[in-house]
Amino acid sequence: MAKEREKKLLPGVLGNYAAELKLLLTTLLLLCSVATLLQFIPSRLTISASDLRVCISRVSQVTGASPSSSSSSSSSNSSSVSVKSIRLSSPPSLPPPSPPEEKERVLENGIIKRVFKPYGSAAYNFISMSAYRGGLNNFAIVGLSSKPLHVYGKPTYECEWLPLVRNDSAKPITTVGYKILPDWGYGRVYTAVIVNCSFSQPVNVDNSGGKLILYASTSGGGDTNFNITDRMEVLTEAPGSMDASIFTSEPKYDYFYCGSSLYGGLNPRRVKEWIAYHVKFFGPRSHFVIHDAGGIHEQVLEVLKPWIELGYVTLQDIRDQERFDGYYHNQFMVVNDCLFRYKFMAKWMFFFDVDEYIYVPPKSTIKSVLGSLSQYSQFTIEQMAMNGKLCLSADSSRMYRKWGIEKFVYRDARKGIRRDRKYAVQPRRLFATGVHMSENVEGKTTHNTEGKIMYYHYHGTIAEKRESCRVLLNSTQVTFEKIPYVMDTTMRDIAGFIRKFETKMIGSRIQKPLQ
């Protein structure tokens, strides 16, 4: 009986799963057929990484255009939308044909010829951020390029001006581009590059418009078998848009701030104090450009908004530069963009950070100090290094209400050591700039500014969200972590005036506690 039941059970089970077995066998047969066919497909038809990127981008378009739906009618509608989106999208540009693939072989003399097969791309040839006029016949192009390409190769650049309306007096003109590497070798995968294009004659003098074209050639760098040249339109001047008077007119601002890339978790209280102090310090004919590389979160933006509305601050979102691995969030590229973008709008341009405060001694003003330095194209500024952990015990009961410049009063007293300096320039005399000074300047530079102008540096406090004070003291001198400090209340003494100025300018908009 048991044997008969087993005989009847097996056909029954097979009958119940007959459809599934047929599907499984069909799928296996199809996979075997595809695997067999792939062996006969030529190697030149293999799917490349660029093909996969195109496919993925198409899938993204389809997904964005037709969200999934459970009903059959929604599925059919989304399918039609998907087809339309694919048909309407422009076809991708095809990559250049690949050379015939070489294979390892034995030569007639018995030597084994080995083969090397390159794949992918290590870094881009050139990443354009901006291009600006520097005069009637001069332009500056700001961008990034592969650092190994410039360290071990000799890339070249050519500039071309294409008039929008061509005639006998307006023809295309070309010139060799002169490159400047302003980052002192600090670049990582990418290095900052400034390409100077100086044509032999003024271009677009009739203001009919035109385009600036940059040709970036690797000149055998990377792969000596190829000289790859990339063509890019870096600047377009619409008809009537070129204002030549800006090159000779008086600048709009006396003092201009070009900030480095701001990133990380900035403390909005410190930013609030910094901007109020410097608007007061530089006065009404000043302007501040802040570059957001991820550091301007909601509360920091709340602090800056009143000053943006008053016309003192311009905020630029540069977060996309994070795609390209350069030194300190590509700050060399960023400050150079700021230089050329506002070159003819500022009499003096300052480069320093948001944890640094410019100061001039009593009985002098920023105007009088810079007047005495007007013969120089560039001057550097002495650092006063303040400790962000040492505070006065007298402030312990109201520490949280104190501004940073009020409670950090201990200055590094070491002598004879090299300290970082920040700087200011007359921007019309620069060809490129750096972070601590420019090496590409026309005219004289002076470092002899001790006693005239300095900056108080509160290192490490700008990103400190919790209370920075760690040690409370009541002495005028102290040695902390083997470094001697002396009490310096210079900034503390003027904090009250800055508070009143802030209230006068923006009221109580941001007086509520900030985290």
Side-chain angles (χ1 to χ4, degrees):
M1 290 293 291
K3 292 183 179 180
E4 290 180 3
R5 288 179 182 176
E6 291 177 359
K7 290 179 181 180
K8 293 179 180 180
L9 182 61
L10 181 59
V13 171
L14 293 176
N16 291 336
Y17 296 95
E20 288 78 358
L21 289 173
K22 288 180 181 179
L23 179 60
L24 178 60
L25 292 174
T26 303
T27 303
L28 290 174
L29 179 61
L30 181 60
L31 290 175
C32 292
S33 302
V34 171
T36 304
L37 288 174
L38 286 175
Q39 299 180 12
F40 298 97
I41 296 178
S43 60
R44 59 188 178 88
L45 294 180
T46 41
I47 298 175
S48 64
S50 61
D51 297 328
L52 289 175
R53 285 194 294 270
V54 171
C55 292
I56 293 171
S57 63
R58 289 303 180 89
V59 172
S60 301
Q61 292 176 358
V62 173
T63 305
S66 55
S68 60
S69 176
S70 58
S71 64
S72 58
S73 58
S74 300
S75 300
S76 60
N77 290 337
S78 60
S79 299
S80 62
V81 172
S82 302
V83 172
K84 289 179 181 178
S85 65
I86 293 175
R87 289 176 179 172
L88 292 177
S89 61
S90 57
S93 57
L94 296 176
S98 302
E101 182 181 346
E102 292 188 55
K103 295 183 178 181
E104 184 177 312
R105 65 187 188 277
V106 179
L107 303 179
E108 294 181 355
N109 55 8
I111 298 175
I112 299 175
K113 173 66 174 177
R114 302 298 300 274
V115 175
F116 302 91
K117 302 177 183 180
Y119 297 93
S121 177
Y124 292 106
N125 180 11
F126 195 85
I127 301 162
S128 173
M129 180 178 183
S130 54
Y132 304 101
R133 264 190 183 271
L136 295 177
N137 68 327
N138 177 265
F139 297 85
I141 303 169
V142 182
L144 299 171
S145 183
S146 165
K147 181 178 179 180
L149 178 63
H150 287 268
V151 173
Y152 303 107
K154 295 181 179 179
T156 57
Y157 300 96
E158 184 179 27
C159 307
E160 182 181 24
W161 177 261
L162 298 178
L164 294 183
V165 179
R166 303 183 189 182
N167 50 47
D168 293 338
S169 59
K171 298 180 180 179
I173 182 173
T174 62
T175 187
V176 174
Y178 174 73
K179 73 171 184 178
I180 300 174
L181 305 179
D183 66 4
W184 304 353
Y186 283 123
R188 291 164 59 88
V189 175
Y190 291 101
T191 186
V193 180
I194 311 302
V195 180
N196 183 284
C197 305
S198 295
F199 293 98
S200 59
Q201 63 189 54
V203 295
N204 196 24
V205 290
D206 59 354
N207 217 349
S208 60
K211 293 182 178 181
L212 179 65
I213 310 298
L214 175 65
Y215 297 92
S217 301
T218 60
S219 301
D223 190 337
T224 56
N225 281 355
F226 298 98
N227 181 21
I228 300 173
T229 299
D230 291 292
R231 178 188 184 275
M232 58 203 85
E233 296 181 6
V234 292
L235 178 67
T236 299
E237 287 185 349
S241 64
M242 200 271 285
D243 181 12
S245 65
I246 192 174
F247 305 128
T248 55
S249 61
E250 283 293 315
K252 180 179 179 180
Y253 302 106
D254 289 335
Y255 316 111
F256 203 94
Y257 171 77
C258 282
S260 295
S261 308
L262 291 183
Y263 58 94
L266 299 182
N267 186 328
R269 294 175 62 89
R270 302 289 87 84
V271 177
K272 171 181 178 291
E273 299 156 11
W274 182 91
I275 187 63
Y277 174 89
H278 285 98
V279 171
K280 169 65 174 173
F281 179 81
F282 286 117
R285 285 179 56 86
S286 63
H287 196 77
F288 302 81
V289 174
I290 308 295
H291 296 100
D292 175 21
I296 308 299
H297 52 81
E298 185 177 350
Q299 286 194 315
V300 176
L301 180 59
E302 181 183 351
V303 165
L304 294 176
K305 271 185 178 179
W307 302 104
I308 294 174
E309 294 168 2
L310 290 174
Y312 283 97
V313 172
T314 295
L315 179 61
Q316 296 186 14
D317 183 346
I318 59 163
R319 299 188 183 201
D320 281 355
Q321 56 76 33
E322 294 293 338
R323 295 169 51 196
F324 313 109
D325 184 17
Y327 179 77
Y328 259 97
H329 307 266
N330 292 304
Q331 63 174 333
F332 281 95
M333 176 180 67
V334 169
V335 295
N336 273 280
D337 172 81
C338 188
L339 166 68
F340 292 109
R341 189 181 186 91
Y342 302 102
K343 185 174 185 177
F344 298 97
M345 297 180 66
K347 186 175 182 180
W348 286 96
M349 190 171 281
F350 285 76
F351 299 87
F352 57 100
D353 296 327
V354 292
D355 59 354
E356 299 166 344
Y357 289 69
I358 306 297
Y359 176 80
V360 295
K363 298 184 181 180
S364 62
T365 63
I366 186 64
K367 182 178 180 179
S368 64
V369 170
L370 296 191
S372 68
L373 297 170
S374 60
Q375 61 182 307
Y376 299 102
S377 301
Q378 174 179 237
F379 65 87
T380 58
I381 307 171
E382 179 185 12
Q383 182 193 97
M384 300 292 176
M386 306 297 289
N387 189 291
K389 297 179 181 179
L390 306 179
C391 300
L392 291 175
S393 56
D395 295 335
S396 59
S397 61
R398 54 186 184 276
M399 192 70 71
Y400 184 76
R401 296 183 179 181
K402 291 286 184 181
W403 279 19
I405 58 176
E406 289 182 283
K407 55 189 177 184
F408 306 135
V409 295
Y410 286 94
R411 174 171 53 83
D412 187 336
R414 289 177 294 176
K415 296 182 179 180
I417 65 171
R418 180 189 177 277
R419 301 185 190 274
D420 285 339
R421 300 175 74 95
K422 295 302 168 72
Y423 70 110
V425 300
Q426 298 191 54
R428 299 189 185 198
R429 302 180 184 179
L430 261 64
F431 304 109
T433 195
V435 173
H436 292 281
M437 65 175 292
S438 171
E439 291 185 329
N440 300 278
V441 58
E442 180 182 27
K444 298 185 296 181
T445 294
T446 182
H447 305 286
N448 186 23
T449 58
E450 286 82 357
K452 290 184 177 181
I453 185 170
M454 63 279 295
Y455 72 96
Y456 281 81
H457 186 195
Y458 300 88
H459 181 70
T461 61
I462 189 64
E464 184 72 65
K465 292 294 187 68
R466 61 178 182 173
E467 178 54 59
S468 299
C469 294
R470 299 289 186 272
V471 180
L472 300 182
L473 305 168
N474 58 5
S475 59
T476 57
Q477 298 183 3
V478 64
T479 298
F480 180 71
E481 296 179 345
K482 299 181 180 181
I483 297 176
Y485 291 93
V486 297
M487 184 183 294
D488 185 338
T489 61
T490 301
M491 299 297 288
R492 179 187 178 93
D493 295 339
I494 61 177
F497 297 101
I498 308 304
R499 286 178 181 271
K500 293 179 181 179
F501 172 77
E502 181 192 52
T503 303
K504 175 184 175 182
M505 294 295 291
I506 63 175
S508 59
R509 289 183 57 179
I510 51 176
Q511 298 302 320
K512 63 182 181 180
L514 297 170
Q515 298 298 324

